[in-house]
Amino acid sequence: MSLTTESSAVGLAPLPPADTLLSLRTGKIRPLGGVNIRTAINKRARQGKWEVTPVGLVGDEQQFIHHGGHEKALHQYCAAHYDVWNTELPGREDLFRIGGFGENLSAMNMSETNVCIGDIFRIGRDVIIQVSGPRQPCYKLNHRFQHKKISAMTQSSGRTGWYYRVLETGFIEQGDAMELVERINPTWSLSRVQKYLYHEKDNIETFQELVSLPALSEEMVGIFQDRLDHGTEDMSGRLEGDGVPVVWRPYKLASKTELTPRIKSFILESQEQNEDSEFGQFPFVRVQFGPDGNMSRAYSVVSGTTSRFELGIARDDNSRGGSIYLHDNLNVGDTIKVASGHNATGTQKEKMETLASKHIFIIGGIGVTAFLGEIEKLSREPVEVEVHYAVRSRNDAAYLSRLPLDKTTIYAKDQGQRLILSQIIPEPTVDKGRRPIVYCCGPTSLMNACRNLTTDSGYPKANVHFEEFGDATTGTGDPFEVEIKSTGQTVQVPREKSLLQVLSDAGFEIESSCLVGNCGTCMVDYYKGDVDHKGVALDEEQKKGYMLSCVSRGKGKIVI
């Protein structure tokens, strides 16, 4: 359909003026300051050309339960809205600015009133995207902007932003032109969809039209279909939720079996009558145990469901005592507390597989537990898989019988066999639009070497996946002073404590998990001073503005 300028015709949405990409942003999933919520809303501006894949910008992480996937690959927000917000809610200028709503793309002239469902835009020379639906604001915005009604205000005002699916991939950069190529639903602006989504919530005739609207996202179609079938949904949970607390549940140790001289299998069974569900991709759980319940560790789930699952745990005599306690003191029949870690949905699995020409797993020791389930799944599918498994000896190779032997190479240190990354990791050559994906889990030295090689070789971040477990480290060292920018408070971090411990003692709720610098959960912003970075969870770009509070330390005085 050709473009029309008949914006004055009844029902037709106006055409957006010519526009330019003002900002291009990506972000990592991390805790939202001071509350027990994980989100990728804090995104950083990116300079230079940035690759757009079928599921979004390379390096942009997404909470896949409600965000991300093909129909929410990119989020755009109208930059002009920030002036309106600052007029309505003065004093939050540091929050209401470009990037505040976690958008990937910012432009000044495009808005919910002149952008329609199904609109096809070209960005720069190569990338073609299509509007799939408006964003539905949730309670995380209340925490982001420090105002308990922002999510509801965003919804009622219609200043929500919108999502795109990617039709043609390529590279974009700040300053690229954004051009409307085709309009297939000229009467269905985003603001008109929002009218029936949020205000006229009982218009059956319109809902019947919307469930058949071309290019409207499956999520939106599902909402309107549910209204036809069951009536209007309750929006209060989405708008007013006050966080996602960590829920610890009792589990009994059903069995403990020696797999190798160093590694044992732990089978845990739920002691509550909860709905049984499957784990997703790369799941882990946190366990709380010890004489006073004062130990907490994170472990990958080897197999099972939420009612009964297996952990594989290596005894580390140089650790902080967690693995030793579990090996020596936790007995069959004992009860410990367990909380779920990440449990990725099928959409995240789809993201990984969409980009892969080959799956290359690089594993050191007990790191096999992080990938065993994924290797088993992929081995049953028509995809190319390689497994490279480095162990102290073949007697120390846990779960070897569950690996595809025809696709697995063992590197036994006691036999002089070395895993040489440069001989394993190929160049990131594109084959029919896909590249290899490299997965790595093992000791810090292996992780760092793999990270350096893939970075130097030009692998996009979306094609390298790390599951971290750590060498022993405590976050202790030379004392330093910390000024907390948000409160003006100053705290001292003594030699025997980590920054995470001191912040927790001072009443700050900093979420944490692995406590050895591998998962990134305890990451905090830092603004000034020198930091001695430890752990492997941050890349070099992130280290410019973040630090891991469980292991990294300041030098002298820092501001966070």
Side-chain angles (χ1 to χ4, degrees):
M1 175 180 176
S2 61
L3 299 180
T4 176
T5 58
E6 297 177 1
S7 58
S8 60
V10 176
L12 295 184
L15 296 175
D19 223 335
T20 300
L21 184 59
L22 295 180
S23 178
L24 174 67
R25 311 179 81 89
T26 68
K28 299 288 186 181
I29 297 172
R30 60 188 296 263
L32 186 59
V35 292
N36 196 12
I37 297 172
R38 290 177 63 77
T39 174
I41 196 170
N42 291 311
K43 300 187 187 297
R44 289 188 146 200
R46 302 301 179 185
Q47 304 300 319
K49 293 186 180 298
W50 214 261
E51 185 176 4
V52 178
T53 76
V55 287
L57 292 164
V58 166
D60 188 48
E61 294 185 351
Q62 301 160 336
Q63 289 281 43
F64 281 87
I65 295 177
H66 300 295
H67 307 283
H70 287 83
E71 296 202 322
K72 295 182 178 180
L74 297 168
H75 175 234
Q76 181 167 336
Y77 198 76
C78 176
H81 289 343
Y82 287 110
D83 287 339
V84 181
W85 284 114
N86 282 314
T87 299
E88 293 178 349
L89 296 170
R92 290 179 170 82
E93 291 81 3
D94 59 328
L95 298 175
F96 287 120
R97 58 184 181 180
I98 289 179
F101 278 81
E103 64 267 26
N104 301 113
L105 311 176
S106 301
M108 187 63 69
N109 299 323
M110 298 163 62
S111 72
E112 293 80 1
T113 59
N114 59 31
V115 171
C116 292
I117 298 297
D119 275 0
I120 297 175
F121 289 89
R122 182 190 305 276
I123 307 180
R125 187 181 64 181
D126 302 323
V127 173
I128 304 293
I129 56 179
Q130 183 179 47
V131 177
S132 59
R135 175 185 182 172
Q136 288 208 90
C138 74
Y139 66 89
K140 293 181 182 180
L141 294 178
N142 300 337
H143 296 285
R144 173 72 177 91
F145 294 106
Q146 301 169 20
H147 189 294
K148 65 181 180 180
K149 294 295 184 182
I150 286 294
S151 60
M153 293 172 67
T154 301
Q155 177 170 297
S156 62
S157 70
R159 300 191 295 266
T160 64
W162 58 93
Y163 290 112
Y164 294 103
R165 59 176 65 88
V166 177
L167 302 184
E168 294 186 20
T169 61
F171 290 82
I172 60 176
E173 63 181 325
Q174 181 180 334
D176 276 347
M178 302 187 72
E179 174 191 2
L180 178 62
V181 176
E182 184 176 0
R183 172 160 285 182
I184 64 174
N185 297 310
T187 65
W188 278 107
S189 67
L190 290 161
S191 58
R192 186 179 176 214
V193 174
Q194 291 173 327
K195 174 182 177 181
Y196 298 103
L197 186 61
Y198 301 132
H199 304 292
E200 296 185 19
K201 294 180 286 187
D202 56 357
N203 193 317
I204 302 301
E205 182 179 351
T206 301
F207 296 164
Q208 290 172 336
E209 180 179 353
L210 283 165
V211 296
S212 300
L213 186 67
L216 185 63
S217 71
E218 290 183 8
E219 179 186 52
M220 289 289 111
V221 170
I223 289 172
F224 292 119
Q225 186 63 57
D226 283 345
R227 290 183 183 178
L228 290 172
D229 296 339
H230 308 294
T232 303
E233 72 279 9
D234 181 4
M235 299 182 184
S236 60
R238 171 172 56 81
L239 294 172
E240 300 172 7
D242 57 358
V244 185
V246 175
V247 179
W248 293 98
R249 302 187 185 281
Y251 278 74
K252 181 179 70 175
L253 181 63
S255 72
K256 183 167 69 171
T257 307
E258 183 175 289
L259 302 177
T260 77
R262 284 193 321 117
I263 300 171
K264 290 184 178 180
S265 164
F266 294 74
I267 305 293
L268 295 170
E269 291 183 343
S270 175
Q271 297 302 287
E272 296 182 344
Q273 297 298 317
N274 296 315
E275 181 180 352
D276 190 23
S277 60
E278 298 290 331
F279 285 106
Q281 193 180 32
F282 313 127
F284 73 84
V285 294
R286 282 181 282 178
V287 295
Q288 195 175 76
F289 55 93
D292 301 313
N294 59 349
M295 292 183 176
S296 178
R297 301 290 186 271
Y299 295 105
S300 295
V301 175
V302 174
S303 61
T305 65
T306 55
S307 63
R308 179 185 170 94
F309 58 85
E310 178 183 4
L311 305 178
I313 301 174
R315 179 190 173 100
D316 184 355
D317 291 329
N318 297 316
S319 75
R320 294 165 295 134
S323 66
I324 295 174
Y325 182 92
L326 292 171
H327 271 246
D328 296 351
N329 301 104
L330 188 68
N331 299 312
V332 172
D334 288 350
T335 298
I336 61 175
K337 293 181 179 180
V338 176
S340 294
H342 63 64
N343 184 13
T345 67
T347 308
Q348 186 168 2
K349 182 175 186 292
E350 183 181 81
K351 175 186 179 184
M352 302 293 288
E353 294 183 355
T354 297
L355 302 174
S357 60
K358 178 192 295 186
H359 299 265
I360 303 170
F361 292 87
I362 299 171
I363 299 167
I366 195 60
V368 68
T369 59
F371 296 136
L372 187 58
E374 187 67 10
I375 292 170
E376 290 179 322
K377 291 177 186 176
L378 290 173
S379 296
R380 296 191 294 266
E381 299 175 6
V383 296
E384 190 173 351
V385 176
E386 292 180 10
V387 180
H388 300 272
Y389 187 12
V391 293
R392 298 181 182 186
S393 68
R394 282 189 170 267
N395 290 334
D396 200 46
Y399 300 106
L400 188 57
S401 63
R402 291 177 57 178
L403 294 173
L405 296 183
D406 59 327
K407 302 173 182 178
T408 301
T409 303
I410 303 296
Y411 304 83
K413 185 177 180 180
D414 67 342
Q415 297 179 16
Q417 298 166 343
R418 293 184 58 208
L419 188 157
I420 302 175
L421 293 176
S422 60
Q423 297 177 2
I424 294 171
I425 300 175
E427 293 296 317
T429 305
V430 177
D431 178 15
K432 297 180 181 179
R434 299 182 178 186
R435 293 185 175 93
I437 288 185
V438 176
Y439 308 76
C440 184
C441 184
T444 302
S445 57
L446 176 65
M447 304 279 283
N448 285 338
C450 186
R451 194 187 306 274
N452 292 338
L453 180 57
T454 52
T455 299
D456 293 344
S457 299
Y459 269 81
K461 291 182 180 179
N463 289 71
V464 184
H465 182 87
F466 294 97
E467 285 289 317
E468 325 278 4
F469 79 89
D471 296 338
T473 184
T474 62
T476 59
D478 291 337
F480 62 103
E481 184 176 283
V482 178
E483 178 184 334
I484 300 162
K485 184 178 179 181
S486 61
T487 65
Q489 184 178 353
T490 297
V491 295
Q492 303 295 326
V493 183
R495 184 182 304 276
E496 70 278 6
K497 285 192 173 184
S498 68
L499 173 59
L500 175 62
Q501 290 173 299
V502 170
L503 292 175
S504 297
D505 291 345
F508 293 93
E509 297 180 8
I510 308 296
E511 188 180 1
S512 61
S513 181
C514 73
L515 302 180
V516 293
N518 290 326
C519 69
T521 304
C522 67
M523 178 167 57
V524 296
D525 299 298
Y526 90 87
Y527 301 98
K528 187 177 180 181
D530 294 329
V531 171
D532 181 15
H533 290 284
K534 303 290 186 181
V536 297
L538 302 184
D539 59 30
E540 293 306 312
E541 180 67 22
Q542 289 176 303
K543 289 178 182 178
K544 296 177 182 178
Y546 304 113
M547 65 182 292
L548 300 174
S549 61
C550 68
V551 292
S552 297
R553 300 186 71 81
K555 299 178 181 179
K557 180 179 179 179
I558 63 172
V559 179
I560 65 171

